[in-house]
Amino acid sequence: FNLKSIFKDFQVLKNLDKIPFGISKILFSKKNSMGDIFSKKNFFFHCHFTIHFNLSQIKGISSTLHSKISLIQGPPGTGKTRTILGIIFLNFNKFKTQETNSSKKKFLKKFELFKMKSSTFCENKTSLNLNKEKKWKNARSFYFKKQENKRIIVCAFSNTAIDENTARITLGLPMKKIISRFEIFEVLRLGPNYKFFLDHLTLDSYALIWGSENTNNISIWDCSEIIKDSRIQIIKRSKLIYTTLACAAYTFLDKVKKKEILIIDEAAQAIELSTLVPVRKTCEKLILVGDIQQLPATIFSQSSLDLNYERSLFKRLQLKKFPIYFLETQFRMHPQISSFVSRKFYKNGLKDSQFVKKIQNFHFLRCFGPLVFFDAPEGLDNFHKKQKNFWCNLEEIRIISFIFRSLICLFKNLNLRSIGIISSYQGQVSEIKENNVLRRNELKGQINTVDGFQGREKNIIIFSTVRARNERGIGFLSDCRRMNVAFTRAKFAFWGIGKVSILKKDINWLEGLFDFRKRGRFFCIRKPIERSNRRLIHWAPNDEKIYSEDGENFSSLDLFLINYIQSFFL
């Protein structure tokens, strides 16, 4: 039993008076005290950001300019990480407020010229070379300045989420054509348990470089004072720090006082006290990015759950009717998957980008459509042999093995690392990993629980529901947030496996199963499983009509299917 996290929560409660007044006033007031976000017109922002961001992302990014606290809700695949990059760029480069009227008039004229050209770019999708816009570059020099005495701290609850953000910043910012790259020591990955490819951005690696260049001591690791001083120098020079919420409480960050902008990714996964850990007196802005429709923090104590201990700061501000900026365009899921997710979890507020409307080669077989459910009426859930407190369902594992064998036989060029197998129960995950057919090197790391797979995505997701007894019910499968996470891990195909007679007793799953039936992608698999092969692959006459229901239109579908079948006999 580890008391370290509880001690950190206690420290937050003890230091609540150290939270900056502008932020604490919003957090602890009964009413929302947020000012007018769009009171100032940011010309460059509205003009140039339309090239790199959609409208909902622009609104979310702009909310961070003039408010102490900003909330951005991003459903899966809506570009939360890219939105964070836009926030970083905009807050690193701010408009100057003290300029002469003459310079403003010059800027307005040059802005109108650039606005016309950028609008032409957006309509005709032609390339625009910003380096040739000398007038715009001169105008920009009046209105932008580097924020030397500030730093941005990007936090997340898990190391996986923060490593994803760090990896994206190494590729550059969306506005990289008009901003210089980050120099050495400016981007820092703080804390342990990071991915190996981020080792060059860690504090110890930087300290080694700094110590070797600025000291004459050959063995600098033997001298703790040199290492300590090198770390302080790195913190002074860092402008963008990536770390977890727990590591953000490091005391040496307080030794180098800078004005901070705090961005917390996956904010809906952390409890309130954990979210307040990195908030210091020097914090100017608090930006929360997350999705309250996904899984919250995992709390096992029932008494704590009764007191809403698992509730996030994001959720509490939402209950106070604090304005939330919703990212409405998703770039991940196939339209058939996103249509159910949008209707069930986001009140039809989720829109599909044109880039996700793609037909994959395996979609032309009846059993491998974008949204398919396999009924396993003969399956039974039992306790795992080695882990008696965990559930497993061997019949569903046989069906998963059957689907996997069919895939690798029909599509030899299919990348097996693009397949993810998930379940709500750790016992089922352990049994799947031990299966002879599924025990492959390509599937290592691709089999996990729904909770463990949150934040990841795969082209194909196979989901095992496990629960199959009337007297036991479906347990926490009834949580619609867990159901949302399971569906939204898939890009091109989501294939569910379960016992329908049990699942349909829950209102959430009843609606989902009705959606599967409506599309004609509902199959009953009985023993022997191998006899189902021919019926699954058969293409029904009405499948083209059902497949085009969510906007897909493939006029030459019949001709493509004939050519596809003929390819097996060449």
Side-chain angles (χ1 to χ4, degrees), residues 308-350:
N308 295 323
Y309 183 70
E310 85 286 0
R311 186 176 62 183
S312 64
L313 182 62
F314 197 109
K315 181 66 176 178
R316 186 161 75 88
L317 291 174
Q318 183 213 23
L319 295 176
K320 292 176 62 176
K321 298 183 179 180
F322 199 87
I324 298 177
Y325 293 86
F326 185 80
L327 306 182
E328 61 182 16
T329 305
Q330 68 91 13
F331 302 87
R332 175 190 297 175
M333 297 170 283
H334 189 280
Q336 289 194 21
I337 304 174
S338 64
S339 63
F340 170 73
V341 172
S342 176
R343 183 175 65 255
K344 176 63 181 175
F345 306 111
Y346 299 105
K347 300 179 181 179
N348 287 321
L350 203 59

Side-chain angles (χ1 to χ4, degrees), residues 38-194:
F38 300 103
S39 58
K40 297 182 180 180
K41 294 182 180 179
N42 299 318
F43 302 109
F44 174 77
F45 171 79
H46 287 293
C47 179
H48 193 78
F49 266 45
T50 54
I51 301 174
H52 302 277
F53 303 95
N54 56 51
L55 183 59
S56 61
Q57 289 175 330
I58 289 175
K59 289 181 179 179
I61 295 171
S62 65
S63 68
T64 65
L65 282 176
H66 309 295
S67 58
K68 293 292 184 181
I69 298 181
S70 301
L71 270 63
I72 301 175
Q73 181 181 359
T78 52
K80 292 190 292 293
T81 306
R82 186 175 179 84
T83 303
I84 291 175
L85 293 178
I87 294 171
I88 291 171
F89 172 82
L90 202 64
N91 284 277
F92 262 138
N93 298 270
K94 282 185 102 175
F95 287 104
K96 288 186 178 180
T97 56
Q98 297 177 354
E99 297 291 342
T100 61
N101 292 329
S102 59
S103 64
K104 288 184 180 179
K105 290 180 181 179
K106 291 180 181 179
F107 174 78
L108 287 174
K109 291 180 181 180
K110 294 171 183 178
F111 166 73
E112 291 298 333
L113 175 64
F114 184 78
K115 185 177 180 182
M116 293 172 61
K117 294 186 177 182
S118 65
S119 61
T120 305
F121 171 84
C122 295
E123 293 175 0
N124 300 330
K125 303 296 182 182
T126 58
S127 61
L128 177 64
N129 190 354
L130 296 179
N131 294 327
K132 295 182 179 180
E133 296 293 334
K134 294 182 179 179
K135 293 183 178 181
W136 168 251
K137 190 174 181 180
N138 294 334
R140 174 181 169 270
S141 64
F142 285 122
Y143 278 82
F144 278 89
K145 65 177 181 179
K146 292 274 187 175
Q147 302 299 309
E148 299 294 340
N149 197 30
K150 290 187 178 181
R151 65 186 174 202
I152 295 179
I153 300 180
V154 182
C155 299
F157 178 74
S158 63
N159 282 289
T160 303
I162 207 62
D163 286 344
E164 173 66 22
N165 280 275
T166 312
R168 289 291 294 273
I169 197 64
T170 58
L171 301 177
L173 293 166
M175 315 285 287
K176 63 183 179 182
K177 286 187 177 181
I178 54 174
I179 184 174
S180 59
R181 293 183 177 272
F182 287 102
E183 298 177 359
I184 190 172
F185 306 138
E186 288 188 343
V187 179
L188 173 64
R189 171 62 170 96
L190 188 61
N193 303 323
Y194 50 83

